[in-house]
């Protein structure tokens, strides 16, 4: 059965995933209307759904059907996805259908304005191995003389079917507190989720899930969407009084306008959607599968255990100190050594040197070669921290090119962390940035870049440019292009996305990076929540998680080393502590735990994740890979000192007997599913355990 079907009599398209269907139709006025997003149905059934009369038509609500990409014009009063103004002052659009074509799972529907030279292509893409539908748009000015003003150009609008009630799950946060999951009723209103910061942001992640208020982790219908964009974005969720809930999203935030030059076509980023009937857990697992199969470039690679110098040495890096850390890291079993901030220019603190990407001659008198060589001699790969989009005013770069930063005439240049943002929308700035990165990677055969961005945009102007708001798009596109070029020219290079922790995690950045630095907060208690939110969309394989020192630098909380490890082992394990200060006992325990991680790593990084909640304050994650299972359970506090009940597992086969690879204890799958896995948790707070189960025989 082809993935895209068309019924010419009813002008209806049906897109099919393995277990779901999405249907749209062309209305009499040639607008594309939403019909169905949910369980599989046939073309005939979809036609019947399409013929249903929309409720609530009245003289105040003439267009009660839901548009696939609402424009301004006609009796439409909800949030438009596409807003344009033509040179004569006319706003709004009236479409004429101009045909469609299907290429495998890619459907393109072409619409032309009836009078003006505006053309739109609605893109839909489905794959045989995923229920995720990718959508985006291309908007084109077909005139050869006059520009068109674009006030909004979203990638897609999504619609949930009629339900009595609606709830939205979204991720909020801040620096050190990213990915906090919030679930709230959808107000009968327009609710805006947005980043005006030029990066995805810590504060909101461009991912929403809508349900009818009854879905749980393992049951219920969920309509979830995620935008593949790493700059400013906006998603407007609209619940109308007659009971429809729709949401439209794309790049840019409110108030920006772009000029579509004569002959120009603008492609929006992918806004992907997924319907699942198995609750939030099933939704996450389907997204994880999609990210692996359709977003990541190296999904089958196992991410190495890394060491990062930041929490150990801060800006005080030098050849001798880093070599000493590297030796300790290697002796623990670390596979990738990453030197963080402070290695270049006059960068002895956050106020100076950013932008001067040559090794500091005092700290590295012979350049980076001796350190890189020693790291490799110790059997590790070599990685470096960079922050290519930023500059300290106190730097040679800024002194030479003060016009390269985002700025506005007659406005102060707001400094955050003593730095300004380079305007990578400028071809010269972007070219220069690519050139130094390319030289750096080539000169040292760098295996890994931690690509940081430590401040949002302010005074985002582009003096002299005729369409200055374009920088909100062009900067992000330039970041993508630079990463893509570097990766093409240096196939061994791997990149970690970071923006002061998890400020830039999205499907767009994951298409050109391999993992995300989840948060600067490495406190394991806080991390349990952060990781829980992160896992709603992103797989463990991309979730950077370090073990650092106790008390924690961010929270001053003291926790046992084992607990810190067990929390970090739920993602891509890294070590970020000051190894020079670790005791022999701690180093010995770390060796054992890193070895244990390497044994479970294929299951964690390539397996399927199930979020489990035990009783009280117990939280656990189970990873399943074939018939192998890994359970990581954490109990940050133990109210009343009560023992925790056994933890009921999922996804094990009832008829199989499993052995704990550590203790040798055996359990029938039926028992693990029924009464659960007894947990051997130490007494007291910050208790945790790791259980690795394999079938007996
Ligand atoms: C913010 C990052 O999130 C940290 O891990 C570290 O790399 C610092 N920047 C360095 O300035």
């Amino acid at each position: 059965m082809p993935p895209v079907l068309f019924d010419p009599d009813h002008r209806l398209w049906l897109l099919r995933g393995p277990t779901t269907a999405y249907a749209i139709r062309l209305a009499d006025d040639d607008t594309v209307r939403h019909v169905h997003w949910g369980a599989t149905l046939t073309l005939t059934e979809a036609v019947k759904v399409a013929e249903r009369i929309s409720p609530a038509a009245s003289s105040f609500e003439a267009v009660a059907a839901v548009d696939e990409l609402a424009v301004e014009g006609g009796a439409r009063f909800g949030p438009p996805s596409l807003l344009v103004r033509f040179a004569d002052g006319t706003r709004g659009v009236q479409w004429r259908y101009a045909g469609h074509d299907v290429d495998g799972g890619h459907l393109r529907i072409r619409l032309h304005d009836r009078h003006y030279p505006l053309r739109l292509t609605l893109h839909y893409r489905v794959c045989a191995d995923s229920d995720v539908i990718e959508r985006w748009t291309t908007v084109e000015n077909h005139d050869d003389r006059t520009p068109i003003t674009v006030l909004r150009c979203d990638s897609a609008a999504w619609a949930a079917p009629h339900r009595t009630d609606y709830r939205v799950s979204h991720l909020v946060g801040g620096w050190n507190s990213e990915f906090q999951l919030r679930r709230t009723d959808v107000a009968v209103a327009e609710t805006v989720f947005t980043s005006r910061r030029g990066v995805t942001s810590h504060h909101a992640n461009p991912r929403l899930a809508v349900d009818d208020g009854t879905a749980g982790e393992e049951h219920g219908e969920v309509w979830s969407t995620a935008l593949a964009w790493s700059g400013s974005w906006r998603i407007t969720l609209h619940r109308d009084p007659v009971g429809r809930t729709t949401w439209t999203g794309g790049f840019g935030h409110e108030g920006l306008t772009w000029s579509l030059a004569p002959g120009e076509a603008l492609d929006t980023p992918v806004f992907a959607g997924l319907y699942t009937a198995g609750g939030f857990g099933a939704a996450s697992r389907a997204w994880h599968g999609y990210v692996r199969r359709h977003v990541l470039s190296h999904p089958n690679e196992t991410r190495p255990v890394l060491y990062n110098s930041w929490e150990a040495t801060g800006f005080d890096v030098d050849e001798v100190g880093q070599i000493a850390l590297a030796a300790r890291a290697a002796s623990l079993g670390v596979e990738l050594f990453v030197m963080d901030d402070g290695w270049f220019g006059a960068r002895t603190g956050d106020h100076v040197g950013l932008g001067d990407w040559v090794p500091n001659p005092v700290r590295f008198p012979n350049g980076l070669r001796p350190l890189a060589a020693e790291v490799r001699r110790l059997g590790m790969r070599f990685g470096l921290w960079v922050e290519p989009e930023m500059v300290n005013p106190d730097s040679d770069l800024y002194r030479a090119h003060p016009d390269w930063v985002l700025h506005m005439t007659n406005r102060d240049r707001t400094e955050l962390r003593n730095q300004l943002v380079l305007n990578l929308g400028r071809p010269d700035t972007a070219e220069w940035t690519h050139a130094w990165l390319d030289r750096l990677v080539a000169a040292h055969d760098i295996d890994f870049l931690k690509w940081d961005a430590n401040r949002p945009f302010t005074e985002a102007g582009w003096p002299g440019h005729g369409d200055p708001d374009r920088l909100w798009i062009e900067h992000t596109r330039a970041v993508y292009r630079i990463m893509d070029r570097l990766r093409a020219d240096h196939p061994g290079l791997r990149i970690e996305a970071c923006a002061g922790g998890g400020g830039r995690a999205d499907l767009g950045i994951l298409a050109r990076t391999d993992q995300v630095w989840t948060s600067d907060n490495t406190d394991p208690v806080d991390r349990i929540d952060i990781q829980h939110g992160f896992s709603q969309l992103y797989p463990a394989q991309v979730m950077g998680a370090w073990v650092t020192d106790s008390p924690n630098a961010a929270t001053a909380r003291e926790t046992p080393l084992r607990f810190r490890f067990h929390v970090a082992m739920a993602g891509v394990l890294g070590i970020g502590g000051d190894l020079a200060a670790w005791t022999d006992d701690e180093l010995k325990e770390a060796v054992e735990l890193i070895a244990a991680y390497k044994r479970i790593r294929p299951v964690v990084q390539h397996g399927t994740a199930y979020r489990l909640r035990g009783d009280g304050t117990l939280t656990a994650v189970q990873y399943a890979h074939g018939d192998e299972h890994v359970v990581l359970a954490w109990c940050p506090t133990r109210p009343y000192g009560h023992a925790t009940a056994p933890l009921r597992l999922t996804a094990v086969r009832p008829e199989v007997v499993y052995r704990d690879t550590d203790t040798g204890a055996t359990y029938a799958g039926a028992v693990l599913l029924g009464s659960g896995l007894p947990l051997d948790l130490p007494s007291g707070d910050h208790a945790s355990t790791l259980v690795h189960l394999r079938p007996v025989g």
Side-chain angles (χ1 to χ4, degrees), residues 175 308 310 315 340-341 347 385 387 417 450 452 454 498-501 517 519-520 546:
W175 177 70
N308 179 292
W310 177 243
F315 293 100
D340 209 281
D341 202 346
R347 183 78 165 171
W385 178 94
E387 193 175 6
R417 211 194 191 208
K450 176 179 175 185
D452 205 348
N454 278 295
C498 173
W517 177 226
S519 176
D520 276 349
W546 304 345

Side-chain angles (χ1 to χ4, degrees), residues 373-386:
E374 181 59 9
V375 165
R376 296 214 163 87
R377 194 193 66 76
L378 289 163
M380 298 182 290
R381 286 177 242 175
F382 182 56
L384 267 188
W385 178 94
V386 291

Side-chain angles (χ1 to χ4, degrees), residues 45 76 185 220 277 286 310 312 345 458 480 484 550 572 582 596 599:
E45 288 159 349
R76 291 182 178 85
D185 289 345
W310 177 243
T458 58
Y480 288 172
D484 291 344
S550 175
V572 179
W582 286 21
R599 286 193 295 275

Side-chain angles (χ1 to χ4, degrees), residues 84-90 115-119 139-150 258-265 467 470:
V84 293
R85 190 175 54 232
F86 299 99
D88 63 2
T90 296
H115 180 82
Y116 292 93
L118 180 76
R119 297 185 169 189
V139 61
E140 188 188 343
N141 180 355
H142 203 62
D143 194 59
D144 53 10
R145 279 167 300 132
T146 319
I148 298 172
T149 304
V150 177
W258 301 306
S259 176
L260 201 56
E264 192 191 359
D467 187 19
R470 280 303 268 269

Side-chain angles (χ1 to χ4, degrees), residues 366-491:
N366 305 304
L368 298 179
R369 282 212 175 82
L371 173 62
E374 181 59 9
V375 165
R376 296 214 163 87
R377 194 193 66 76
L378 289 163
M380 298 182 290
R381 286 177 242 175
F382 182 56
L384 267 188
W385 178 94
V386 291
E387 193 175 6
E389 299 156 75
M390 306 287 167
V391 61
N392 284 131
D394 187 358
S395 66
D396 293 341
L397 174 65
Y398 188 72
R399 282 182 281 273
H401 298 287
D403 52 331
W404 276 13
V405 297
L406 302 183
H407 67 284
M408 286 179 182
T409 313
N410 301 322
R411 292 285 174 254
D412 292 344
R413 300 181 180 196
T414 303
E415 292 178 25
L416 292 165
R417 211 194 191 208
N418 306 304
Q419 61 196 56
L420 298 168
V421 184
L422 291 173
N423 179 359
L424 295 190
R426 286 177 63 122
D428 50 355
T429 315
E431 200 47 47
W432 178 86
T433 302
H434 170 264
W436 74 256
L437 280 162
D438 185 57
R439 274 197 308 274
L440 180 75
V441 173
H444 304 287
D445 206 8
I446 304 277
D447 298 296
F448 184 92
L449 287 178
K450 176 179 175 185
W451 183 302
D452 205 348
N454 278 295
R455 58 154 291 169
F457 293 10
T458 58
E459 296 84 36
W462 191 345
H465 192 277
D467 187 19
D469 284 353
R470 280 303 268 269
L471 72 85
W472 296 92
I473 297 176
E474 297 309 329
H475 180 95
T476 303
R477 285 180 163 175
V479 169
Y480 288 172
R481 269 196 304 273
I482 294 170
M483 287 183 173
D484 291 344
R485 256 176 100 181
L486 287 174
R487 286 159 74 90
D489 294 342
H490 307 279

